[in-house]
């Protein structure tokens, strides 16, 4: 690009997707984060404005996922870090929708576009993961990868990281509800056991494999019965007071299944058509109104494109 500034939108993501703990995720069309990147003459990387965070995020480049990811990329390429950053948070922090991942992805994607680096997503990935690590305390790509690549993503392994895009049914819809409670990823990981029984391990592996098969063959019935998590959800569901009530109502409304997105508190339900997705949204709204919990609801197909430059 020949301009001195660029605006990038990076989408929210649903991660884990039932049995895919740390290895599966998909991108949504909304919500997402927006980064405006502009060259400056100070020779410093600066965050000049943050909106939508209610004052929670740091303006220090060493303590914000967007600039940590950017700094990692600039250092590797030995490029000057003379940029001003505006971060517009358009989703909740600690929402379970990949908020920190979206900021990190938007930052490196914006640098790539503004400087005309023509780097591949594979080359941007590790830098975005470094930004994400600051927020979550560990390297896991099930938000960063679908946000960056778009679509439905499987991470086969991490040494080295192996990203596998998966086809998914065009008719697959996601209804996600973000209740106004905060669950920090780092804290949600601490409550998980360090060891699991071989029986649970077998169940999780079977469900993960079946979910992939269901996606690739557009077998909605198989997708429905495969989105079962025995590793994280039994523990993390206790952090969401209305988990059972919401899930039961959603399933009776026609959802294929209903799970926690990432560490929560966002919960998502999959369906096979937009009409059911809308009905699920209404049922979610009813439950959370009864619980007196403020919330936002998003309906989306799988976003196949990932981040994009906006005017």
């Amino acid at each position: 690009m020949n301009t001195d500034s660029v605006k990038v939108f990076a989408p929210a993501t649903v991660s884990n997707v039932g049995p895919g703990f740390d290895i599966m995720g998909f991108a949504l069309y909304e919500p997402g984060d927006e980064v405006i990147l502009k060259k400056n003459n100070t020779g410093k990387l600066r965050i000049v404005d943050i909106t939508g965070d209610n004052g929670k995020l740091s303006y220090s480049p060493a303590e914000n996922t967007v600039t940590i990811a950017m700094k990692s990329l600039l250092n590797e390429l030995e490029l000057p870090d003379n940029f001003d950053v505006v971060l517009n948070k358009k989703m909740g922090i600690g929402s379970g929708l990949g908020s920190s991942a979206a900021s990190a992805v938007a930052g490196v994607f914006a640098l790539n576009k503004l400087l005309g680096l023509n780097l591949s997503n594979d080359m941007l990935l590790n830098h975005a993961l470094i930004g994400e690590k600051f927020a979550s305390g560990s390297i896991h790509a099930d938000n960063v990868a679908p946000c960056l690549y778009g679509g439905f993503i499987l991470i086969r392994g991490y040494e080295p990281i192996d990203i596998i895009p998966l086809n998914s049914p065009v008719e697959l819809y996601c209804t996600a509800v973000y209740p106004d409670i905060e669950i920090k990823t780092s804290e949600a990981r601490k409550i998980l056991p360090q060891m699991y029984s071989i029986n649970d391990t077998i169940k999780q592996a079977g469900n993960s494999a079946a979910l992939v098969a269901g996606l690739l063959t557009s077998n909605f019935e198989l997708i429905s019965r495969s989105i079962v998590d025995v590793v994280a959800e039994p523990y993390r569901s206790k952090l969401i007071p209305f988990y059972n009530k919401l899930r039961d109502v959603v399933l009776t409304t026609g959802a294929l299944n209903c799970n926690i997105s990432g560490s929560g508190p966002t919960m998502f339900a999959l369906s096979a058509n937009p009409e059911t997705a809308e009905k699920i949204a209404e049922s979610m709204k009813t439950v959370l109104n009864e619980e007196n919990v403020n919330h936002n609801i998003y309906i989306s197909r799988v976003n196949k494109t990932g981040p994009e430059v906006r005017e």
Side-chain angles (χ1 to χ4, degrees):
M1 298 181 66
N2 296 320
T3 63
D4 290 329
S5 66
V6 66
K7 180 192 293 185
V8 166
F9 172 84
T13 46
V14 170
S15 62
N16 294 351
V17 198
F21 180 69
D22 277 4
I23 64 169
M24 287 188 199
F26 62 88
L28 302 173
Y29 281 102
E30 62 170 346
D33 277 0
E34 182 182 84
V35 164
I36 302 171
L37 187 61
K38 186 176 182 178
K39 294 179 183 178
N40 66 38
N41 297 317
T42 68
K44 295 179 180 179
L45 180 60
R46 307 183 304 185
I47 300 175
V48 297
D49 194 21
I50 303 174
T51 67
D53 69 325
N54 294 319
K56 294 180 180 179
L57 297 180
S58 173
Y59 276 71
S60 168
E63 298 177 344
N64 194 300
T65 58
V66 61
T67 40
I68 290 171
M70 290 171 58
K71 186 69 173 174
S72 174
L73 177 58
L74 291 167
N75 285 347
E76 179 175 289
L77 299 178
E78 299 182 345
L79 293 172
D81 52 3
N82 54 322
F83 300 95
D84 286 342
V85 179
V86 174
L87 173 60
N88 297 320
K89 298 294 295 182
K90 296 181 179 292
M91 64 174 124
I93 298 168
S95 60
L97 287 169
S99 174
S100 56
S103 295
V105 167
V108 295
F109 192 86
L111 269 178
N112 193 34
K113 292 296 183 181
L114 182 61
L115 299 180
L117 299 175
N118 296 316
L119 300 177
S120 67
N121 286 338
D122 292 346
M123 297 179 72
L124 297 177
L125 176 64
N126 286 331
H127 303 289
L129 286 172
I130 289 171
E132 163 76 345
K133 182 181 179 181
F134 175 79
S136 65
S138 63
I139 293 287
H140 56 97
D142 51 339
N143 288 115
V144 169
C147 179
L148 179 61
Y149 292 79
F152 205 116
I153 297 294
L154 169 68
I155 301 103
R156 186 205 59 80
Y158 284 86
E159 296 179 0
I161 192 163
D162 190 0
I163 304 297
I164 303 170
L166 298 175
N167 289 328
S168 58
V170 175
E171 305 87 356
L172 188 66
Y173 279 80
C174 173
T175 308
V177 59
Y178 165 47
D180 190 15
I181 60 175
E182 184 176 344
I183 298 175
K184 292 185 178 179
T185 300
S186 55
E187 295 300 318
R189 296 183 82 86
K190 288 180 182 177
I191 67 172
L192 301 181
Q194 295 300 305
M195 302 288 289
Y196 291 89
S197 70
I198 191 168
N199 185 50
D200 283 345
T201 303
I202 292 169
K203 286 180 181 178
Q204 196 82 346
N207 283 325
S208 297
L211 177 55
V212 172
L215 291 168
L216 296 181
T217 60
S218 296
N219 186 331
F220 286 103
E221 198 280 328
L222 181 56
I223 291 171
S224 176
R225 70 176 192 265
S226 301
I227 305 182
V228 179
D229 176 19
V230 298
V231 167
E233 197 137 349
Y235 304 94
R236 289 178 170 174
S237 61
K238 298 172 185 177
L239 301 175
I240 304 173
F242 42 81
Y243 168 86
N244 288 320
K245 181 179 180 180
L246 183 66
R247 187 171 187 274
D248 289 346
V249 168
V250 164
L251 291 178
T252 60
T253 309
L256 297 172
N257 216 319
C258 177
N259 298 91
I260 299 171
S261 176
S263 302
T266 291
M267 295 177 64
F268 75 97
L270 297 181
S271 54
N273 57 70
E275 293 79 16
T276 302
E278 291 285 353
K279 290 178 182 177
I280 291 169
E282 289 301 315
S283 69
M284 288 175 167
K285 186 184 301 183
T286 298
V287 169
L288 290 179
N289 285 342
E290 290 173 353
E291 296 291 319
N292 294 314
V293 176
N294 293 330
H295 58 278
N296 291 301
I297 297 177
Y298 309 97
I299 298 175
S300 177
R301 289 186 177 183
V302 176
N303 178 345
K304 306 281 187 177
T305 57
E308 60 183 29
V309 174
R310 292 189 169 177
E311 297 298 327

